[in-house]
Amino acid sequence: MANNSNKMNVYIPLEDVASEHCALIIEKGLAQIKGVETHKVELNNRRASIMVEDNEVVAEVVKTIKELGYGVPTVKNTFPVLGMTCASCAGSAESIVKYEPGVIYSSVNFATGNLTVEYLPNMTDASKLQKALQAIGYDLLIEDDTKQQETLESIQEKKFRTLKNKTIGAVILSLPVVIIGMFFMDMPYADPIMWFFSTPVVVWFGKDFFINAWKQAKHRSANMDTLVALSTGIAYIFSVFNMLFANFWHQRGLHAHVYFEAATVVIAFILLGKLLEEKAKGNTSSAIKKLIGLQPKTVMIKEADGNEIQKAIEDVNVGEIIIVKPGEKIAVDGVVVSGTSYVDESMLSGEPVPVLKNENEKVFAGTINQKGSFQFKAMKVGRETMLANIIKMVQDAQGSKAPVQKLVDKIAGIFVPAVMSIAILTFILWFFLGGDNGLAHGLMAAVTVLVIACPCALGLATPTAIMVGVGKGAENGILIKDAESLELAKKVTAIVLDKTGTITEGKPQVTGMLWLNNDDTTKDIFLSIEKQSEHPLAEAVVKNLDGIPTISLSKFDSVTGKGAKADYNNETYYVGNKKLLAENKIVIAEQLQQQADEWAKHSKTVIWFADSKQALSVIAISDKIKETSVQAIKEMQNMGIDIYMLTGDNEATAKAIAQQTGIKNYKAEVLPQHKADFVKQLQQQGKIVAMVGDGINDSTALATADVSIAMGKGSDIAIEVAKMTIISSNLAKIPQAIRLSKQTVATIKQNLFWAFIYNLIGIPVAAGIFYPINGFLLNPMIAGAAMALSSVSVVSNSLRLKWKK
């Protein structure tokens, strides 16, 4: 990367750029980006070389390339940031990282203490980011996940202990200062005694405020530490001056007041506030700690020779056989190879009833075996397990920012400079309009303004609520991927449900089969076609005809949304819905049609088997409605939400299922690509749409919807695309998720309201607005207590979410 004055030459690695044509498309896209001076796509090197004025343009370039449908290999990571003391620290740490060359995205969440960063690996790495943060007095913890968690916990514990000791020390030394300052001002040597007690508080226990403020000042920024350092520093120096040079005031006929108690108590209160805040913030992240605690540290492995050995969980490999005894936790994801038992999966799915596990059934890390014992084969270990993915998802979601947070961040950015300006203005007004005591009153009013202002309450309002909300969701088997969907879910006015696997069990079974003139000699052809088909209904037929020999077919072809066809002995055979038969002008005998109509009335799915001239058989397949679906749908309708059901099934089946579940709006015979169009239609009518699905065929519709919800037992792609996942696939969790969203958003609003109101009222009162009316001036000590309380009250209000139903 070469520099030319301020310009940077950046190389962006590219993926999927296969030809010169692709390169031209990217060239065109780059030409339209403001701030890109020169650009060239080097096809052979698989990279784009661009000259930009500043790093922010790089993010725009990467976004554009991705939007054009090409890949840019980037590294996404989350690191704990150490040394942050308040919400505006998060802002300055975030902007330092943002300006590092090669960083595409950076976000620091004050509540979790984490930096989420995406960067180009060819331009920067974690250690470079660490150095950049160390330069302004923060630090970055870069280690692998499990170690990182342990190191982080020990660092946090140590930090908490140090803070606790400082707080206790500051409180003990402040007490005599307060008692003398309030009640025994006239006792001999009052001032030197107060000075003696307050110096260690300001100079030792409060030294971090001054050190951090200086680091910030060097980088021309300011945060809460700046406010505390300025206010207590001014009060302390002014008091020392008044004590040593009392005559300076006596000659002017004024009394020399000292304000040691203000300086010490403010530091004591702010330390106490921080201590309570840290403790409460520890509680907001308890959900993650619970999830991490679900994993056992060691496991019993059965070796090929039959010996049993104990292994650390980190050393378990895919394919090894693990022994699970009664009451033990399951360590990794796998498949049962011998034995049966009931397994409690409530910690992942939120469902209280243990699930029976037989051979060939999946088991998941973190779940608890009940009374039986079994052996299973490890399929996913380490970061691959469902539990590890849940932990990662929850961490990412807790670290993401809600849309409302962006506005709050802007306010927090200008908050500290604004408060400093108000404090200076307060001092100037008092100095000129305050009469004899103008200087002393002015200094104290300015100190009180600096003390009472609280950027932290603002900074904590949103992230703490999001943390508790996401954590509570995870505990109830609702995985929320980002703060935005948690904020949006409460606004949902329409929910689109996929039928199979969402409303129904998703385990179709053949319940009837009728052959033309009772001639089933072509059963083997029927089975052979279904064996090659990927349709979920085909699986039901294969199970039903198990044991019949198959034959080899030619020209097998899957007809999307309609069925499949294949040739055998120069004859074409068809399996699928009525549309497929109609398109190929195939005749249906009366007896088969009557049976089909009868089955359709009873919400059964009807499929046909035919040769090129006539239908040979009609088959009924049914899929049970889940026990919880009817109640859940009723509950959502009671919330005033419109429910729509989409299915690829025929009209009669769809109608029957809709009647049984109380759904008024449904659409049958919908092709996968039309599901997304239907979601768009609803959005055009002004509805906020949630899509609930479980299959690969739902993924486009999920990506289109405002809020996307996947069923945890569905396909990985659906879960990947969706912003929320219901682990147990139980529809009753959706109203729960909506209630959780309402409660979280309400908490955020309360927090922001209190944080704003507090500052709007507190600052003018501190400046002495009531003094001309009734002579009231706020004591800096009270201001310090109020400020400490405001942060704690915001975090405590967020914690209330935990106990809400």
Side-chain angles (χ1 to χ4, degrees):
M1 195 175 67
N3 270 336
N4 168 13
S5 66
N6 275 348
K7 292 174 185 163
M8 296 191 292
N9 198 16
V10 180
Y11 295 109
I12 295 178
L14 299 172
E15 285 172 344
D16 313 322
V17 180
S19 66
E20 207 48 69
H21 177 242
C22 302
L24 279 172
I25 294 172
I26 294 176
E27 287 271 9
K28 240 183 199 162
L30 295 178
Q32 288 164 3
I33 301 172
K34 243 175 127 178
V36 176
E37 302 272 318
T38 62
H39 52 85
K40 180 164 108 237
V41 176
E42 303 169 3
L43 185 64
N44 296 336
N45 293 330
R46 296 194 177 176
R47 66 181 190 185
S49 164
I50 57 170
M51 179 85 77
V52 292
E53 281 183 5
D54 71 24
N55 192 51
E56 284 198 348
V57 181
V58 178
E60 189 59 35
V61 169
V62 172
K63 187 177 156 201
T64 304
I65 295 172
K66 284 184 174 172
E67 279 171 358
L68 291 169
Y70 302 102
V72 177
T74 59
V75 176
K76 267 188 185 167
N77 236 323
T78 303
F79 300 109
V81 182
L82 308 176
M84 290 197 299
T85 52
C86 74
S88 36
C89 295
S92 56
E94 187 176 304
S95 53
I96 286 287
V97 174
K98 206 171 264 170
Y99 286 112
E100 273 298 291
V103 171
I104 296 162
Y105 167 82
S106 86
S107 160
V108 175
N109 182 314
F110 177 50
T112 58
N114 283 345
L115 158 74
T116 307
V117 64
E118 186 179 359
Y119 57 85
L120 297 168
N122 60 321
M123 284 181 63
T124 189
D125 56 36
S127 57
K128 283 184 186 162
L129 301 179
Q130 186 184 32
K131 285 190 185 110
L133 283 173
Q134 283 169 341
I136 59 159
Y138 306 119
D139 202 351
L140 207 57
L141 189 61
I142 42 181
E143 279 178 342
D144 73 351
D145 281 4
T146 44
K147 283 213 185 97
Q148 189 185 63
Q149 198 58 38
E150 284 165 22
T151 316
L152 184 61
E153 277 179 11
S154 62
I155 288 174
Q156 283 172 341
E157 260 175 44
K158 194 176 161 197
K159 184 182 161 191
F160 187 76
R161 277 201 306 275
T162 314
L163 183 58
K164 194 173 171 181
N165 294 339
K166 275 187 182 171
T167 308
I168 293 168
V171 169
I172 291 170
L173 291 181
S174 299
L175 279 173
V177 183
V178 175
I179 293 165
I180 296 171
M182 303 289 264
F183 308 111
F184 302 107
M185 267 312 289
D186 301 326
M187 69 181 249
Y189 304 112
D191 293 359
I193 294 169
M194 288 200 292
W195 182 36
F196 173 78
F197 281 113
S198 58
T199 302
V201 176
V202 176
V203 176
W204 181 249
F205 297 125
K207 71 173 190 289
D208 287 350
F209 296 119
F210 295 95
I211 294 169
N212 293 337
W214 173 241
K215 281 178 184 168
Q216 292 288 325
K218 282 199 294 196
H219 284 268
R220 295 193 180 165
S221 66
N223 64 3
M224 190 196 88
D225 293 326
T226 315
L227 299 181
V228 177
L230 273 175
S231 55
T232 54
I234 291 168
Y236 179 77
I237 291 165
F238 184 58
S239 304
V240 173
F241 176 86
N242 288 0
M243 180 183 75
L244 298 176
F245 305 106
N247 284 342
F248 174 82
W249 299 106
H250 295 158
Q251 287 160 4
R252 289 163 176 72
L254 295 169
H255 185 64
H257 281 290
V258 292
Y259 297 97
F260 288 120
E261 76 278 10
T264 54
V265 172
V266 164
I267 286 177
F269 269 135
I270 288 168
L271 286 172
L272 181 65
K274 268 185 184 299
L275 186 73
L276 294 172
E277 192 183 298
E278 284 296 323
K279 199 167 173 55
K281 268 175 21 192
N283 284 339
T284 59
S285 62
S286 62
I288 286 267
K289 289 198 187 105
K290 270 189 202 159
L291 286 171
I292 291 171
L294 290 175
Q295 230 165 354
K297 294 271 185 275
T298 57
V299 292
M300 264 313 201
I301 301 281
K302 185 178 181 181
E303 294 190 297
D305 57 8
N307 283 344
E308 294 182 10
I309 56 158
Q310 199 170 35
K311 262 193 179 183
I313 189 159
E314 294 85 41
D315 304 331
V316 176
N317 299 311
V318 172
E320 288 188 310
I321 303 293
I322 295 168
I323 299 164
V324 185
K325 296 185 176 131
E328 284 186 347
K329 284 180 181 166
I330 292 163
V332 295
D333 292 6
V335 172
V336 178
V337 289
S338 71
T340 62
S341 179
Y342 280 92
V343 174
D344 176 6
E345 297 188 339
S346 60
M347 58 295 296
L348 298 186
S349 65
E351 296 294 322
V353 185
V355 185
L356 179 63
K357 298 289 177 182
N358 294 312
E359 267 180 50
N360 297 326
E361 295 205 23
K362 289 180 180 173
V363 288
F364 301 103
T367 55
I368 299 170
N369 181 26
Q370 302 287 295
K371 294 193 175 72
S373 58
F374 59 90
Q375 297 177 4
F376 74 95
K377 185 179 181 180
M379 303 300 274
K380 288 180 174 177
V381 299
R383 286 183 174 192
E384 300 298 309
T385 65
M386 182 169 161
L387 179 67
N389 282 322
I390 291 176
I391 291 171
K392 190 174 179 338
M393 256 175 154
V394 173
Q395 277 177 325
D396 289 349
Q398 290 186 338
S400 66
K401 288 188 178 179
V404 66
Q405 181 68 19
K406 290 173 185 135
L407 170 71
V408 178
D409 283 350
K410 278 184 184 159
I411 294 167
I414 55 166
F415 185 85
V416 176
V419 169
M420 288 164 72
S421 311
I422 293 169
I424 293 167
L425 182 68
T426 302
F427 175 70
I428 293 169
L429 288 173
W430 270 102
F431 187 74
F432 289 111
L433 309 173
D436 291 344
N437 278 333
L439 176 68
H441 279 167
L443 267 177
M444 277 309 102
V447 163
T448 312
V449 167
L450 292 171
V451 169
I452 204 163
C454 186
C456 284
L458 278 178
L460 289 166
T462 316
T464 50
I466 293 286
M467 263 178 101
V468 178
V470 168
K472 190 176 172 185
E475 284 170 17
N476 286 294
I478 303 163
L479 275 191
I480 298 158
K481 262 198 203 160
D482 60 13
E484 193 164 345
S485 50
L486 184 61
E487 203 179 311
L488 248 183
K490 74 176 272 285
K491 298 179 182 165
V492 167
T493 53
I495 294 180
V496 179
L497 301 172
D498 167 55
K499 178 184 77 80
T500 311
T502 303
I503 296 173
T504 62
E505 293 281 2
K507 292 176 189 158
Q509 290 165 333
V510 173
T511 54
M513 197 180 284
L514 180 66
W515 292 85
L516 185 65
N517 308 326
N518 290 330
D519 173 14
D520 64 357
T521 48
T522 47
K523 247 185 193 175
D524 50 355
I525 301 172
F526 177 36
L527 174 64
S528 306
I529 295 177
E530 288 293 49
K531 268 220 160 130
Q532 289 189 44
S533 170
E534 292 165 356
H535 199 281
L537 296 180
E539 212 176 297
V541 174
V542 173
K543 265 190 194 159
N544 184 267
L545 298 179
D546 194 26
I548 292 172
T550 53
I551 50 177
S552 76
L553 307 162
S554 58
K555 294 188 185 167
F556 176 85
D557 186 20
S558 182
V559 187
T560 306
K562 291 171 191 145
K565 61 179 185 174
D567 287 7
Y568 180 69
N569 281 350
N570 301 324
E571 172 67 86
T572 304
Y573 291 91
Y574 298 89
V575 176
N577 57 20
K578 207 167 171 184
K579 269 189 192 166
L580 185 69
L581 273 59
E583 273 176 19
N584 294 284
K585 304 191 170 52
I586 291 166
V587 181
I588 297 174
E590 185 62 32
Q591 66 174 107
L592 294 186
Q593 186 57 60
Q594 277 176 350
Q595 184 61 67
D597 294 342
E598 186 57 36
W599 279 334
K601 274 183 207 160
H602 293 94
S603 77
K604 292 180 180 181
T605 304
V606 174
I607 61 167
W608 300 85
F609 172 54
D611 58 20
S612 57
K613 299 178 203 65
Q614 61 178 357
L616 303 174
S617 173
V618 61
I619 300 93
I621 295 177
S622 77
D623 186 5
K624 245 176 46 192
I625 293 173
K626 287 181 197 166
E627 289 173 9
T628 51
S629 294
V630 179
Q631 181 56 34
I633 288 164
K634 194 175 168 189
E635 209 175 321
M636 291 188 272
Q637 286 167 333
N638 290 344
M639 287 175 147
I641 297 168
D642 299 332
I643 306 288
Y644 298 84
M645 179 181 81
L646 299 185
T647 177
D649 238 329
N650 62 52
E651 175 68 27
T653 306
K655 186 176 180 181
I657 296 264
Q659 279 171 346
Q660 286 170 30
T661 51
I663 294 174
K664 296 180 186 67
N665 311 306
Y666 65 91
K667 261 187 120 169
E669 297 175 17
V670 181
L671 294 174
Q673 58 271 30
H674 295 155
K675 287 185 180 177
D677 298 340
F678 182 73
V679 170
K680 276 187 197 142
Q681 253 176 344
L682 292 178
Q683 286 169 329
Q684 279 157 7
Q685 292 165 25
K687 290 182 161 71
I688 305 277
V689 183
M691 168 76 197
V692 186
D694 73 327
I696 295 172
N697 60 356
D698 300 320
S699 48
T700 350
L702 285 168
T704 313
D706 300 294
V707 176
S708 43
I709 303 170
M711 290 296 171
K713 292 187 178 149
S715 78
D716 291 349
I717 294 179
I719 292 168
E720 185 62 33
V721 171
K723 291 290 168 71
M724 285 189 190
T725 303
I726 307 292
I727 297 174
S728 64
S729 297
N730 176 354
L731 272 184
K733 296 279 173 194
I734 294 173
Q736 272 189 17
I738 293 170
R739 277 197 295 274
L740 181 65
S741 166
K742 284 183 176 165
Q743 291 168 352
T744 308
V745 173
T747 305
I748 291 174
K749 283 182 177 164
Q750 290 158 9
N751 285 353
L752 287 173
F753 173 78
W754 286 116
F756 275 113
I757 282 291
Y758 163 81
N759 281 305
L760 282 174
I761 294 172
I763 292 173
V765 170
I769 197 162
F770 290 131
Y771 190 77
I773 305 161
N774 57 9
F776 174 75
L777 256 185
L778 188 64
N779 188 321
M781 290 194 293
I782 313 275
M787 186 212 134
L789 267 174
S790 69
S791 294
V792 177
S793 62
V794 160
V795 180
S796 309
N797 190 39
S798 294
L799 282 173
R800 277 180 45 234
L801 256 180
K802 270 190 174 182
W803 297 289
K804 283 192 176 164
K805 277 271 187 288

